[in-house]
Amino acid sequence: MTINSNLQNFELIRIDSILNQLLVYLKDNFGLNNSLLGFYKLGSLTHGGYNSYYSDIDVAIIAHKEIDPIFIESAKKELIKWDNDMGIKVSLFWTDRSFSSGRFPVLDQIDFLDNRELIFEKERILPKRPSVDMIRNYLLSHPIEYWTEKSNYFSKLRVWNELEAKELLRCLLYPARFIYTYSKGLMTSNDEAVSFLRKLHDNNFLKYSFQDFRQCQLSLELIEEALTVRNLRRSAQSLFIKHQSKLIEQHQSILNWIQYEKQKHS
């Protein structure tokens, strides 16, 4: 077993420990007017690709009624007290039994339906599966806006900061994740999304998709290089130096691909 795998296994034990502490905290502090219905792992912990250097720790909290955001903030502070390194990585998704409040976006609902891993469950509550149109409309709102903002930011950044490595890798890998989810209506790991993109490329799908938009071409090699850096837990500085000038081209290529897809289905 390698040093990296030993470290990752040790971190997974720490994750289970801090999530068990959070479960006790949730049960003890929900109050008389609400109750915890379920507590689950999401994201790379469940659908593969968890990386101790680059991954968040995604968890879902399902309650009987709407959860007060002040309670969520208190829970976040407790997490950092228990284990600062792990606590700051925890990303909380929460809602009520109707999935109508809190923070639980469409993509995370898909992840919950398909990939959740149970930590605690008093009652199984599942959201209605979002339609393909709902998924695509959501992708074209906040996610694409956030990626646009980050692409512009990193393309103009003058001095590298290792603290921003996670965001840069997300930015570089996003085209694969976007095309996968837009095409299939599912959530998956970075590895599977890049593999899907490679298959499209090898079958000339990308060539035909971009044939009417020759001003920009999506670089699959850049995306695969970013995945390698992520999987090997290397610094992303080399990617920043080598590919900073290509970020806007990658971004424009995806916008072009969206136009092509809309025309194809219109």
Side-chain angles (χ1 to χ4, degrees):
M1 188 173 287
T2 65
I3 292 175
N4 276 341
S5 62
N6 276 327
L7 287 172
Q8 181 131 320
N9 287 337
F10 176 66
E11 178 157 332
L12 291 174
I13 292 171
R14 290 174 66 190
I15 290 171
D16 284 342
S17 175
I18 196 173
L19 294 184
N20 284 331
Q21 286 179 275
L22 179 57
L23 175 59
V24 172
Y25 179 84
L26 294 173
K27 287 182 175 180
D28 289 346
N29 292 279
F30 250 80
L32 297 175
N33 295 322
N34 208 348
S35 61
L36 179 65
L37 300 182
F39 185 47
Y40 309 85
K41 294 178 185 177
L42 296 178
S44 58
L45 283 173
T46 62
H47 56 55
Y50 178 78
N51 183 303
S52 58
Y53 191 71
Y54 285 114
S55 294
D56 288 334
I57 301 167
D58 295 338
V59 292
I61 303 168
I62 313 298
H64 178 61
K65 297 180 180 179
E66 182 175 354
I67 304 173
D68 189 335
I70 295 175
F71 177 75
I72 294 295
E73 289 305 314
S74 298
K76 290 179 180 179
K77 291 176 182 177
E78 292 299 317
L79 285 164
I80 293 172
K81 286 181 185 178
W82 299 328
D83 187 329
N84 182 73
D85 293 340
M86 293 294 101
I88 60 176
K89 292 183 179 182
V90 176
S91 181
L92 298 177
F93 298 90
W94 70 95
T95 190
D96 57 51
R97 65 184 303 121
S98 64
F99 280 77
S100 60
S101 66
R103 176 191 179 225
F104 222 119
V106 168
L107 300 186
D108 300 287
Q109 290 183 35
I110 299 168
D111 196 24
F112 180 77
L113 285 166
D114 296 337
N115 304 304
R116 69 189 180 280
E117 182 177 317
L118 187 151
I119 301 174
F120 165 83
E121 190 173 75
K122 179 180 179 182
E123 181 182 351
R124 179 162 298 181
I125 304 294
L126 300 177
K128 181 180 178 181
R129 180 173 290 275
S131 67
V132 172
D133 285 342
M134 286 177 63
I135 294 166
R136 289 176 175 174
N137 287 336
Y138 177 73
L139 283 169
L140 296 176
S141 59
H142 173 70
I144 200 78
E145 291 167 2
Y146 184 78
W147 182 51
T148 298
E149 177 187 327
K150 288 299 178 181
S151 295
N152 288 328
Y153 171 76
F154 283 114
S155 70
K156 298 173 183 177
L157 188 65
R158 293 181 177 273
V159 180
W160 172 248
N161 181 350
E162 188 63 26
L163 295 176
E164 297 184 295
K166 182 190 293 187
E167 285 297 324
L168 176 64
L169 276 176
R170 284 176 174 169
C171 190
L172 294 174
L173 290 167
Y174 189 70
R177 299 192 67 98
F178 181 92
I179 288 178
Y180 182 92
T181 300
Y182 194 95
S183 300
K184 298 174 74 79
L186 301 171
M187 293 287 285
T188 192
S189 65
N190 287 296
D191 295 81
E192 180 61 29
V194 174
S195 175
F196 177 75
L197 196 60
R198 166 55 67 183
K199 290 174 184 176
L200 295 181
H201 178 275
D202 292 345
N203 290 327
N204 287 323
F205 177 85
L206 295 182
K207 174 184 177 181
Y208 294 125
S209 295
F210 290 115
Q211 63 183 348
D212 296 326
F213 307 102
R214 296 180 182 275
Q215 67 269 34
C216 292
Q217 290 289 334
L218 186 68
S219 171
L220 178 58
E221 290 71 24
L222 187 164
I223 296 168
E224 290 179 326
E225 188 177 345
L227 181 66
T228 298
V229 166
R230 184 188 186 280
N231 288 347
L232 295 177
R233 301 173 183 81
R234 293 175 178 169
S235 168
Q237 184 174 10
S238 61
L239 294 172
F240 174 72
I241 294 170
K242 184 177 179 181
H243 298 301
Q244 182 185 25
S245 62
K246 300 176 185 176
L247 284 164
I248 298 302
E249 288 185 10
Q250 292 289 88
H251 177 262
Q252 187 60 51
S253 292
I254 292 299
L255 297 185
N256 293 340
W257 183 83
I258 293 168
Q259 290 180 44
Y260 171 83
E261 286 295 301
K262 286 182 174 180
Q263 289 176 9
K264 186 172 72 173
H265 295 291
S266 62

